[in-house]
Amino acid sequence: MDWSKSKNILIAALLVTNIIIGWFYMDGQWQEKQQLSQSAANAVAYLEDRGLFVDAVVPVGKQKLPVLFLSFLPKEGAGIQASEATSQYKDIPIVAEGMPDSVIATVDVGQTGGRLISASNALLKFAGDISEEELAGGIRVTDIELIYYVDRRGLGGLSGEDTALPTWRIATGDGANVYINAYEE
Amino acid sequence: MSERNRKHLETIKNIALVVLFITTILLLYLVWSKDSGVDFRISSILPIGDEEYQIPSTADVLTADRIVYCTGNSSFMVDENDEAGVYDRAISSLRTLADSASVLVSEITKEQYTEAVSGYKSVQLVYGFHIPFRELQETYNIKRITGSDAIESVRALAFSAAAPESIFVWDSNAQKYYRLLSDKDTVSVEQWLASLTATTDLYYPVGDVLGGDNKNLMPLTLSTNITQIRYEDETGEAGEKIRITMAEALFGENFDFVRRIKDSFGTITYMYGYGQKTFTTTVDGVFEYKTDVSNGSSQGFMGDLTTAIQFVAANGSWDSLNGQRLDFKLTGAEPKTDGRHKGYTFTFGENINDRAVYYTEGSPITVDVLDGQVSYYRRDVVSVASPVDDGQGEAQLPDAANVLALNYNYMYKSLTNTPLSPNTEDAFSYVADAITYISTGYVRVEDDKLLLPAWIIETEPGMFFYFNLMEATPIGNSR
């Protein structure tokens, strides 16, 4: 058997296979991006029809993220300001609400990444929780951003441990923030 | 081409082949994982965590609270552990009776029932809960008895030498008594009594000992070698590993995305969604699980009990979590509803050295089953660390009547929620009338991590008083 010739054929076959699979993958990515852009545009148009006006750029793209395990200590210790989004994981801000006198001491990453809903889906969820009367008055969305969020209001204590989940933070024209769990159900 | 160049070219080809092969696999993985929408988990492929676990049968936990033998002269013997094996024989007798050609079911009065079990040699199986009679028949494959539909539930089954062709039923839910009369003898109470050798302490009606009409039983004296036991929470040193294992079992594939909260006391709460499912563990080794239930249909007493037993086996164990063999039995079963869903709350008690362990708060295991789904599970189980030698060995205890004489004021105040007692005689009579049973067992003292030997005095309305076994001083009470 001519091994050298066989190798040439195998290399050529694998090369063609990789090009085809790669092309499928890239095409899929591109189509998904187009689809998400289209969905976002449709969602914005639909929401504006209902009285919810989006004055912000709606992020496009889907990703998988794990949870973050945070530990808190009273403020005098070194660490990250907990009540503000000064800590980040993969450029995503971490917000711990209800802990103004504590700092985030450690951040541990969960084992598995979970699929997230798109920003336009989060907007639709947000609109679904608003009554027709409120929408009739007109509501403006000024920003929508993916953050890691944990709400510790009412739990008390300056120290302890908690879990921050990927969350879509929707800022409205009246200065309020609404948080939508970003994990797919 | 020179030989050297050819070799060089072949090496490059080999490397290119390996790189292309790996690239193909990676590209396939990317395409597949993107399109399938499914995450691979090694644990879902390999049989990790799928170990077999022991599931007791409903019959294993559905035993009578106590078996009461009447010797025929107004004295009784009580066996809380069925050492004579009467329980199986009683069920077998019920089956024999149901198979008879003719069975007559008739309601009788409380007096007739009391006469049958107190005036003659008799055996009474007293449950700590109500079992729907129809489901009892189905569970033990007992032929349905015509006319038995009137019997809603069973609190006690009784067999009397006065009527060997009959079985008596106490339905405490409806406060009714029944006689199931067959056309032939079904039991030989004398034989059952003859096989009873282990239990020798005698019990008498409370009214006979303390005065009054109370027909419930109390011992005059008891001898015992029961000693203190030092206990530990069931997780022992492997607490964290066990906690995580239980949480993984309860949350399944969602475990990686649940919120984990730890407070400054060390209590850890796992929460899924907006509290649809929570699991809390404390540093004392108490586990508590709550979940919303979806619409379904109630499975009845036995169906719900089976669900509860299987759930505990799959999420914890019917032994201690550190592997110690434990002995549980059903101590309570109360119908429960949240308005939309129906089911039962089951409580399971723990026996150590054949003695029941009593808690001043809660039970070792509590499970709520609504519409056939477990909605609540609490586990607060203790396991033996070491017996404590108090140097007393086999000891003669103070008389039960003396325990009452020393403590009736305390009991009266607790029962009536009044700080002042009426005159001595009235308070004593009130307490004597309220007694439903007196026995001995262990009481958990959490501060000292001790199981103390104690007098257990049960009273109406479902209250338990605990007194130190030797000194007869109050330890506490519970409802």
Side-chain angles (χ1 to χ4, degrees):
Chain A
M1 184 185 278
D2 186 349
W3 277 108
S4 181
K5 206 171 178 183
S6 301
K7 280 179 195 172
N8 289 342
I9 294 166
L10 268 173
I11 288 170
L14 282 171
L15 209 58
V16 171
T17 308
N18 283 359
I19 288 168
I20 292 170
I21 298 172
W23 183 82
F24 265 114
Y25 180 71
M26 297 303 287
D27 185 57
Q29 292 281 86
W30 185 80
Q31 282 197 12
E32 186 179 279
K33 201 169 178 185
Q34 291 294 105
Q35 222 169 29
L36 285 169
S37 298
Q38 191 59 48
S39 299
N42 290 345
V44 169
Y46 167 76
L47 292 170
E48 288 191 349
D49 274 354
R50 288 192 61 201
L52 195 145
F53 302 95
V54 183
D55 298 337
V57 177
V58 180
V60 175
K62 286 195 113 178
Q63 54 183 320
K64 289 167 86 175
L65 286 175
V67 299
L68 296 183
F69 299 113
L70 313 177
S71 70
F72 300 94
L73 285 174
K75 211 169 196 174
E76 56 269 21
I80 303 150
Q81 182 73 34
S83 58
E84 297 171 7
T86 50
S87 177
Q88 293 194 328
Y89 169 74
K90 287 187 174 177
D91 296 334
I92 302 168
I94 301 171
V95 175
E97 196 156 7
M99 300 292 282
D101 299 318
S102 302
V103 291
I104 298 173
T106 59
V107 178
D108 290 328
V109 181
Q111 282 187 347
T112 317
R115 288 173 186 279
L116 307 188
I117 59 171
S118 64
S120 54
N121 262 347
L123 282 170
L124 290 169
K125 273 193 171 186
F126 167 54
D129 293 338
I130 304 171
S131 66
E132 289 297 329
E133 290 76 30
E134 283 177 284
L135 282 171
I139 291 176
R140 294 205 164 272
V141 170
T142 54
D143 190 28
I144 176 161
E145 183 186 18
L146 184 67
I147 62 167
Y148 269 102
Y149 178 70
V150 56
D151 184 359
R152 287 187 55 86
R153 286 174 297 180
L155 290 177
L158 298 174
S159 58
E161 292 175 18
D162 212 324
T163 311
L165 305 181
T167 303
W168 287 106
R169 178 170 61 187
I170 298 171
T172 57
D174 57 4
N177 284 328
V178 178
Y179 300 94
I180 307 285
N181 184 349
Y183 278 132
E184 281 182 353
E185 291 287 321
Chain B
M1 193 182 286
S2 70
E3 187 61 27
R4 195 176 163 198
N5 282 349
R6 182 165 293 159
K7 273 192 174 175
H8 193 63
L9 187 64
E10 288 307 311
T11 309
I12 291 170
K13 279 183 188 175
N14 288 340
I15 293 168
L17 266 174
V18 171
V19 170
L20 281 168
F21 185 70
I22 292 169
T23 314
T24 308
I25 290 170
L26 285 175
L27 280 168
L28 279 171
Y29 170 76
L30 276 175
V31 172
W32 194 0
S33 63
K34 182 173 171 292
D35 288 348
S36 67
V38 174
D39 289 321
F40 286 108
R41 281 168 162 262
I42 294 296
S43 59
S44 65
I45 301 165
L46 300 175
I48 296 170
D50 287 344
E51 315 90 45
E52 289 283 315
Y53 42 77
Q54 295 292 319
I55 305 175
S57 68
T58 46
D60 288 338
V61 297
L62 200 68
T63 53
D65 198 36
R66 55 184 176 267
I67 296 169
V68 180
Y69 302 85
C70 178
T71 55
N73 55 0
S74 279
S75 65
F76 299 80
M77 288 182 279
V78 177
D79 182 359
E80 293 177 357
N81 299 303
D82 191 16
E83 284 166 9
V86 161
Y87 187 78
D88 290 340
R89 283 192 268 179
I91 295 295
S92 171
S93 297
L94 186 59
R95 192 178 292 117
T96 308
L97 179 136
D99 289 338
S100 305
S102 149
V103 183
L104 182 69
V105 179
S106 58
E107 190 179 336
I108 58 173
T109 63
K110 182 181 179 181
E111 288 69 30
Q112 287 172 312
Y113 178 89
T114 308
E115 175 63 17
V117 296
S118 304
Y120 300 87
K121 287 182 178 174
S122 70
V123 177
Q124 213 186 155
L125 282 70
V126 184
Y127 292 97
F129 41 86
H130 312 278
I131 311 173
F133 188 59
R134 178 183 282 193
E135 294 194 52
L136 182 77
Q137 294 175 88
E138 287 168 3
T139 302
Y140 291 106
N141 294 319
I142 296 167
K143 198 173 135 190
R144 200 161 154 221
I145 300 168
T146 311
S148 66
D149 286 349
I151 307 172
E152 198 181 297
S153 63
V154 177
R155 184 66 188 275
L157 281 175
F159 306 84
S160 172
E165 74 293 345
S166 299
I167 295 177
F168 299 88
V169 176
W170 173 30
D171 178 356
S172 71
N173 246 353
Q175 278 306 322
K176 288 182 176 175
Y177 298 84
Y178 296 91
R179 179 182 182 181
L180 313 179
L181 176 64
S182 147
D183 53 5
K184 60 183 179 193
D185 287 3
T186 53
V187 290
S188 172
V189 171
E190 278 87 355
Q191 264 184 22
W192 293 5
L193 275 164
S195 63
L196 185 71
T197 52
T199 310
T200 52
D201 290 317
L202 290 176
Y203 284 66
Y204 296 91
V206 174
D208 291 1
V209 181
L210 304 176
D213 295 326
N214 192 339
K215 300 288 184 198
N216 293 313
L217 299 180
M218 64 175 282
L220 278 185
T221 57
L222 290 175
S223 56
T224 179
N225 55 0
I226 180 172
T227 57
Q228 289 182 17
I229 290 174
R230 195 167 299 285
Y231 75 85
E232 58 186 10
D233 79 61
E234 60 169 335
T235 58
E237 288 174 1
E240 181 163 0
K241 189 167 172 266
I242 288 168
R243 169 175 59 76
I244 292 170
T245 305
M246 278 186 76
E248 279 179 335
L250 288 164
F251 289 96
E253 61 183 17
N254 294 319
F255 180 68
D256 287 340
F257 309 109
V258 297
R259 183 178 173 189
R260 189 183 73 194
I261 307 164
K262 185 175 184 182
D263 68 16
S264 48
F265 302 107
T267 300
I268 298 172
T269 302
Y270 295 88
M271 188 189 296
Y272 180 66
Y274 295 100
Q276 294 108 308
K277 202 183 261 195
T278 60
F279 175 56
T280 306
T281 68
T282 70
V283 286
D284 301 331
V286 179
F287 300 90
E288 192 174 61
Y289 168 75
K290 293 178 192 168
T291 182
D292 292 347
V293 293
S294 50
N295 284 334
S297 58
S298 178
Q299 306 297 307
F301 180 91
M302 292 298 181
D304 286 352
L305 180 60
T306 305
T307 301
I309 290 170
Q310 288 173 348
F311 187 87
V312 173
N315 299 281
S317 165
W318 281 104
D319 291 322
S320 86
L321 295 175
N322 61 6
Q324 199 172 99
R325 291 286 305 167
L326 293 179
D327 180 19
F328 290 98
K329 71 179 185 183
L330 185 65
T331 52
E334 292 294 326
K336 183 182 174 70
T337 178
D338 64 1
R340 286 191 305 146
H341 311 283
K342 283 183 181 173
Y344 281 88
T345 294
F346 297 104
T347 49
F348 296 90
E350 187 179 345
N351 278 19
I352 289 180
N353 299 340
D354 287 339
R355 303 272 179 177
V357 178
Y358 293 84
Y359 292 4
T360 48
E361 266 183 63
S363 297
I365 292 178
T366 306
V367 185
D368 288 358
V369 182
L370 291 175
D371 278 5
Q373 303 151 66
V374 170
S375 64
Y376 179 77
Y377 169 40
R378 186 176 187 276
R379 188 178 174 100
D380 182 11
V381 171
V382 297
S383 61
V384 174
S386 59
V388 177
D389 185 7
D390 50 15
Q392 285 172 341
E394 179 96 14
Q396 189 68 39
L397 309 179
D399 292 349
N402 278 346
V403 178
L404 285 165
L406 289 168
N407 294 291
Y408 69 89
N409 255 326
Y410 157 73
M411 292 174 69
Y412 178 83
K413 287 174 190 171
S414 301
L415 283 166
T416 56
N417 279 325
T418 51
L420 299 171
S421 294
N423 68 59
T424 302
E425 205 169 307
D426 287 352
F428 189 82
S429 299
Y430 184 92
V431 171
D433 287 345
I435 291 168
T436 53
Y437 185 54
I438 297 180
S439 63
T440 58
Y442 287 110
V443 174
R444 181 174 71 161
V445 180
E446 287 184 80
D447 292 344
D448 301 329
K449 292 267 180 191
L450 278 177
L451 300 177
L452 284 185
W455 286 98
I456 315 297
I457 301 183
E458 299 177 31
T459 65
E460 296 286 0
M463 203 157 173
F464 291 76
F465 290 90
Y466 310 114
F467 301 99
N468 187 294
L469 197 63
M470 299 308 295
E471 285 90 39
T473 48
I475 299 172
N477 60 63
S478 64
R479 281 184 191 277

